[in-house]
Amino acid sequence: MKTLHTNPYVHKEENKLVNSITGEKLLCGDRIFEIIDFLKIPKPYKELEERFEDINDDLGGILETLAAKSYIVLDNNYKDTVTKITPHTPHLFNLPYKSIAAPLEKKAFGFIGIPLGIGNKENIQSSQLANSLRAFSKKYGLDLSATSQINPDVFGGTYEDYHQLMTTIKEGGLFDYGNIFFNTHESPGFMYEKIYEIARTCFSKDHLVPFFIGGDHSISYPLIKGAIDQYGDDLCVLHFDAHTDTYTSSYDTIKNTDTVHHHGNFMTKCFEYGLKHAFQFGIRGIVNNRQTSNENRTIIWAHEIKKALKNNLPFANIPAGKKFYVTFDFDVLDPMYFNNTSTPVINGLTFDECQKLIRDLLTDKDIIGCDIVEVYPDSNDRSPQIVCQMMFDLINSIKKNAD
């Protein structure tokens, strides 16, 4: 190690060191506090040995422990120090907190907030969704923990209708992992890189089905990148949206010196990265007048979905044996049913149609993760009710495959 430096997000609290990002606390003695104070200005290891000569035999082990918990930074590696998930209270649905580093013994869903709205300037408050849902679930005492006495009537159906969700709750298969940590002074590129690194960690973790809560739709690109790294050509994306999000403009290259990435072109970025195919459900409207299916994507127009659901027709050509990632933009719903989104489009799906589509489409698929995006929280309770219900239906429809 060349240099060592105290993590700027670490502070003292009585006889403990506290990492403000991860929430972890470490019981310490005076000598540890002296090391932390000494390293507030970066120092080479040799200076540390000279200053703490009396504990040289133990110094290496002490520094390894402090570095492993990100209380100190080695060799200016700040990226790993701040690429973390921060616990938040109140916990979503009164669920237990789980560290991303903690092992899972069986298949479980982990909620991870991504409070980032910089990819859609019209809906930057979408960054508040995860915490607004936490506040909403606390307000009404919504409890999905293993000790919950909740009954399926709350979800709008019978036990048979919500068997998968009720079983998952009973078995303690839901956790709140917290939010990805962002600092307002970080560059957009760095923020997206952090999402990507955490996505890679999630998709490589045994038994975890990550459920990401955005955020605008630009967050889905680094998430899907992480899934592509893990599953390669076996990955297929199921995209629920009013828009194809493959839009670009000559102005993008005029106004930017780097590759443009935003909520309206994230699917283009996914295809460029190597995604082989996506099925896009609910597309409609004048903005899509030049959009067509091609070798990378199959568009299922909103009117086609309505007809298929009404006549119990299958959705064509969705391959078997693939790994599927679900990305759900709430503007897939008609604005009569949900208008707390920045880009509403008429002639969308009703809430009932969207529920049935999810149930019909997802129940026999191997879903490896999902995200929900583009919600603009407000002061009333209508939109969080709809968002929560859609989350319940998504979980209920995701097949719990044997490990």
Side-chain angles (χ1 to χ4, degrees):
M1 59 186 81
K2 297 178 182 178
T3 61
L4 304 96
H5 186 203
T6 295
N7 181 350
Y9 293 99
V10 165
H11 65 275
K12 300 175 187 176
E13 190 176 281
E14 296 180 346
N15 60 344
K16 297 183 182 73
L17 281 179
V18 181
N19 186 324
S20 304
I21 298 176
T22 65
E24 290 184 284
K25 298 182 180 181
L26 183 67
L27 186 66
C28 297
D30 292 340
R31 296 297 272 165
I32 303 297
F33 286 131
E34 290 176 24
I35 291 173
I36 292 296
D37 287 339
F38 186 69
L39 293 177
K40 285 184 177 178
I41 297 175
K43 301 285 197 312
Y45 183 70
K46 184 176 181 180
E47 281 191 35
L48 204 64
E49 285 185 307
E50 293 172 355
R51 172 65 176 77
F52 296 94
E53 184 178 2
D54 58 316
I55 57 171
N56 265 351
D57 291 344
D58 299 320
L59 189 59
I62 292 171
L63 296 176
E64 284 183 10
T65 299
L66 293 175
K69 297 291 185 182
S70 296
Y71 293 108
I72 61 174
V73 181
L74 303 182
D75 299 332
N76 296 316
N77 186 17
Y78 292 97
K79 177 182 174 182
D80 289 347
T81 303
V82 297
T83 304
K84 301 290 184 182
I85 299 176
T86 304
H88 274 263
T89 54
H91 295 165
L92 183 64
F93 306 141
N94 197 38
L95 296 171
Y97 164 73
K98 193 88 168 175
S99 167
I100 195 66
L104 292 168
E105 296 179 357
K106 56 187 177 181
K107 188 80 80 175
F109 296 87
F111 294 107
I112 300 171
I114 306 183
L116 194 66
I118 60 174
N120 183 355
K121 301 303 183 183
E122 300 298 321
N123 193 11
I124 197 166
Q125 286 184 274
S126 62
S127 63
Q128 300 172 7
L129 178 59
N131 285 348
S132 72
L133 292 177
R134 290 186 175 100
F136 176 77
S137 64
K138 180 184 179 183
K139 177 180 178 180
Y140 289 101
L142 185 54
D143 186 350
L144 302 187
S145 67
T147 58
S148 169
Q149 299 300 312
I150 198 164
N151 67 72
D153 297 328
V154 172
F155 308 129
T158 65
Y159 190 92
E160 183 179 344
D161 294 330
Y162 284 93
H163 173 73
Q164 181 61 68
L165 176 59
M166 294 297 292
T167 301
T168 303
I169 293 170
K170 184 177 179 180
E171 294 179 352
L174 299 172
F175 297 96
D176 184 353
Y177 280 70
N179 290 348
I180 295 179
F181 170 78
F182 298 112
N183 183 292
T184 54
H185 297 293
E186 292 172 344
S187 69
F190 185 48
M191 291 178 178
Y192 290 122
E193 183 68 17
K194 287 164 68 170
I195 297 172
Y196 168 60
E197 292 296 339
I198 287 172
R200 292 184 64 189
T201 298
C202 290
F203 291 122
S204 65
K205 189 174 180 61
D206 291 340
H207 313 311
L208 176 63
V209 180
F211 194 122
F212 301 101
I213 304 172
D216 71 80
H217 223 155
S218 68
I219 68 163
S220 298
Y221 170 48
L223 295 175
I224 293 170
K225 273 178 65 179
I228 293 171
D229 287 355
Q230 182 68 23
Y231 298 106
D233 292 352
D234 286 336
L235 184 73
C236 186
V237 169
L238 302 176
H239 176 198
F240 299 85
D241 205 321
H243 312 85
T244 63
D245 292 338
T246 54
Y247 315 114
T248 188
S249 164
S250 58
Y251 292 105
D252 284 344
T253 53
I254 293 172
K255 294 183 291 185
N256 296 271
T257 58
D258 201 355
T259 303
V260 181
H261 166 211
H262 51 73
H263 74 112
N265 74 348
F266 88 92
M267 282 304 300
T268 297
K269 308 301 292 180
C270 291
F271 294 133
E272 290 174 353
Y273 191 75
L275 177 66
K276 295 303 181 184
H277 207 82
F279 290 83
Q280 300 185 298
F281 296 88
I283 309 304
R284 60 191 187 273
I286 296 170
V287 69
N288 294 301
N289 73 92
R290 296 183 180 180
Q291 301 296 308
T292 59
S293 297
N294 56 40
E295 63 179 356
N296 291 124
R297 71 179 185 199
T298 301
I299 295 175
I300 301 92
W301 298 88
H303 71 88
E304 293 176 322
I305 294 172
K306 291 174 179 288
K307 181 179 179 180
L309 293 175
K310 182 178 179 179
N311 297 288
N312 293 315
L313 301 175
F315 294 103
N317 301 324
I318 297 179
K322 292 285 188 178
K323 305 291 186 182
F324 292 91
Y325 181 85
V326 174
T327 178
F328 189 96
D329 185 328
F330 272 82
D331 69 20
V332 72
L333 290 164
D334 189 273
M336 285 185 62
Y337 298 90
F338 191 88
N339 61 2
N340 287 74
T341 185
S342 62
T343 50
V345 182
I346 62 170
N347 296 323
L349 302 185
T350 69
F351 190 80
D352 288 345
E353 288 171 337
C354 207
Q355 281 185 304
K356 191 172 190 309
L357 174 63
I358 286 172
R359 290 170 184 168
D360 290 354
L361 193 63
L362 303 188
T363 47
D364 63 344
K365 305 294 188 298
D366 187 359
I367 310 296
I368 54 87
C370 63
D371 66 58
I372 57 172
V373 294
E374 298 289 354
V375 176
Y376 181 61
D378 58 18
S379 57
N380 68 53
D381 288 344
R382 184 171 182 266
S383 63
Q385 287 183 66
I386 294 172
V387 173
C388 286
Q389 184 63 52
M390 199 56 64
M391 293 170 71
F392 303 151
D393 283 301
L394 283 166
I395 294 169
N396 189 58
S397 301
I398 293 174
K399 181 179 179 182
K400 241 181 153 183
N401 297 291
D403 294 321

